[in-house]
Amino acid sequence: MINAELSHVKTLPEFYTEIRKQHEQAHGHDYCWQHDAMQKLMKKCDTYRELGTHQGASAAAACLMNPSAVTLVDISFEKWRPFESIFRTYCEENNISFDVQEKSSTDPSTAKPVDLLLIDSNHQPAHLVNELNLHAKTVKKYIVLHDTSRLFGKVDDRLWQVVNGFINNGINPWIVQERCTDNVGYTVLQNTLNT
């Protein structure tokens, strides 16, 4: 994924428009389709947590839906910090509780009740297994996973295989609501107990 040039942006809507434009120019018009899926789901959700933020494109897409609470979790916010004030200003003006946790997405303290979870962090199968096992029991409605068709520029569905194993283990109340294989792909899981 590219690092977008965003030094000129002043507001969160401007940030999101610009970062999405640059991502689509670099990676294809369908690279950000998971944002559209998330925003559609956010109409039925009040809280959002994200594992893996990078510069904040997905976080901006979620914030712009004006949920009551947004939590970002990443091992490092170095790429996002230059835009922190834009996010905090928008959230303050729109009464969004905004929390940033600079720690591993497998740290148990990051797993708290939430309506929608985005997983876009360490794209290694073993790490995703740990994230799903830790976080799925705290997610009330939906889990969106990015990069479930391609990894590191190559066709690679190892993350999808993890997801498929997770939902078919006979224990978890999750089903696949949507799977998109275009570009890097994304998958939406739905909790059958709460939706």
Side-chain angles (χ1 to χ4, degrees):
M1 173 179 21
I2 64 159
N3 289 312
E5 168 45 51
L6 302 162
S7 59
H8 59 289
V9 301
K10 305 293 184 211
T11 67
L12 194 64
E14 184 182 7
F15 171 93
Y16 181 66
T17 298
E18 187 61 27
I19 198 169
R20 181 165 180 158
K21 179 176 89 173
Q22 290 184 39
H23 280 187
E24 290 175 343
Q25 286 172 345
H27 304 296
H29 76 282
D30 46 4
Y31 180 77
C32 297
W33 282 359
Q34 86 280 3
H35 297 174
D36 300 329
M38 284 171 32
Q39 288 185 318
K40 181 178 174 185
L41 296 170
M42 287 298 295
K43 293 175 183 174
K44 304 178 217 174
C45 297
D46 191 47
T47 56
Y48 173 83
R49 181 169 61 244
E50 170 173 298
L51 309 180
T53 299
H54 195 66
Q55 284 186 293
S58 298
C63 286
L64 291 171
M65 296 304 293
N66 294 334
S68 69
V70 170
T71 301
L72 309 181
V73 178
D74 204 313
I75 197 75
S76 171
F77 283 96
E78 178 186 354
K79 302 286 186 191
W80 174 79
R81 288 278 180 219
F83 316 108
E84 181 175 5
S85 64
I86 292 172
F87 278 80
R88 291 200 182 275
T89 297
Y90 182 88
C91 289
E92 186 175 313
E93 289 172 351
N94 291 278
N95 298 314
I96 301 169
S97 171
F98 188 70
D99 185 30
V100 175
Q101 299 179 10
E102 194 160 14
K103 53 183 74 169
S104 171
S105 57
T106 58
D107 183 318
S109 70
T110 64
K112 296 190 170 131
V114 70
D115 290 332
L116 189 150
L117 173 71
L118 170 71
I119 300 179
D120 192 12
S121 58
N122 179 339
H123 292 63
Q124 298 297 325
H127 191 82
L128 179 56
V129 167
N130 291 334
E131 287 174 323
L132 287 169
N133 287 335
L134 175 65
H135 291 274
K137 55 189 164 227
T138 67
V139 180
K140 299 174 191 171
K141 296 184 178 183
Y142 304 102
I143 299 174
V144 178
L145 303 102
H146 197 211
D147 302 300
T148 53
S149 293
R150 293 179 69 86
L151 287 174
F152 313 112
K154 295 187 261 187
V155 174
D156 185 338
D157 71 349
R158 286 179 297 153
L159 298 184
W160 161 248
Q161 296 304 326
V162 168
V163 172
N164 195 41
F166 175 77
I167 61 170
N168 288 307
N169 70 2
I171 307 169
N172 297 305
W174 294 91
I175 59 170
V176 175
Q177 184 195 61
E178 180 182 2
R179 181 168 184 233
C180 174
T181 57
D182 295 327
N183 203 305
V184 295
Y186 69 85
T187 302
V188 177
L189 302 183
Q190 178 180 345
N191 187 334
T192 60
L193 297 179
N194 296 312
T195 50

